[in-house]
């Protein structure tokens, strides 16, 4: 069975964050760049529930992983 495909905004909604494009951009701008040595799940701005969701998604190989990876890349922009 194929895993469902989620949109980036749905991840924000799942995390209890505003899922409108302006608010998503504001979140990313406010919280990035994360230091290279800070894992996404260890970022200081997550609540315990948000952190648990992110960890459990990886542990369970959940269908959220592509969107979580996209958020990780957005918060850890490549250095030029």
């Amino acid at each position: 069975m194929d895993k469902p495909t989620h949109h980036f905004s749905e991840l924000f909604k799942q995390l209890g964050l505003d899922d409108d494009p302006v608010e998503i951009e504001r979140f990313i701008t406010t919280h990035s760049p994360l230091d290279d040595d800070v894992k996404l799940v260890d970022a200081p701005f997550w609540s315990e529930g948000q952190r648990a969701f992110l960890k459990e998604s990886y542990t369970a190989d959940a269908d959220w992983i592509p969107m979580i990876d996209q958020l990780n890349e957005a918060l850890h922009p490549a250095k030029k």
Side-chain angles (χ1 to χ4, degrees), residues 8-9 12-13 16-32 46 71 74-75:
F8 198 48
S9 62
F12 280 76
K13 190 171 189 173
L17 301 169
D18 290 325
D19 61 343
D20 129 341
V22 171
E23 292 303 316
I24 291 172
E25 185 63 33
R26 181 175 293 141
F27 179 89
I28 292 169
T29 301
T30 300
H31 297 295
S32 67
W46 299 124
L71 178 59
L75 294 171

Side-chain angles (χ1 to χ4, degrees), residues 9-78:
S9 62
E10 291 175 41
L11 175 61
F12 280 76
K13 190 171 189 173
Q14 183 69 23
L15 289 166
L17 301 169
D18 290 325
D19 61 343
D20 129 341
V22 171
E23 292 303 316
I24 291 172
E25 185 63 33
R26 181 175 293 141
F27 179 89
I28 292 169
T29 301
T30 300
H31 297 295
S32 67
L34 284 176
D35 289 337
D36 290 340
D37 61 339
V38 176
K39 293 181 182 178
L40 180 65
V41 298
D42 295 330
F45 46 80
W46 299 124
S47 70
E48 287 306 311
Q50 291 166 326
R51 189 179 322 282
F53 168 77
L54 294 169
K55 286 181 181 180
E56 289 167 12
S57 292
Y58 273 107
T59 301
D61 192 26
D63 52 358
W64 288 105
I65 291 176
M67 293 301 98
I68 294 171
D69 287 343
Q70 184 177 339
L71 178 59
N72 186 47
E73 289 176 21
L75 294 171
H76 288 99

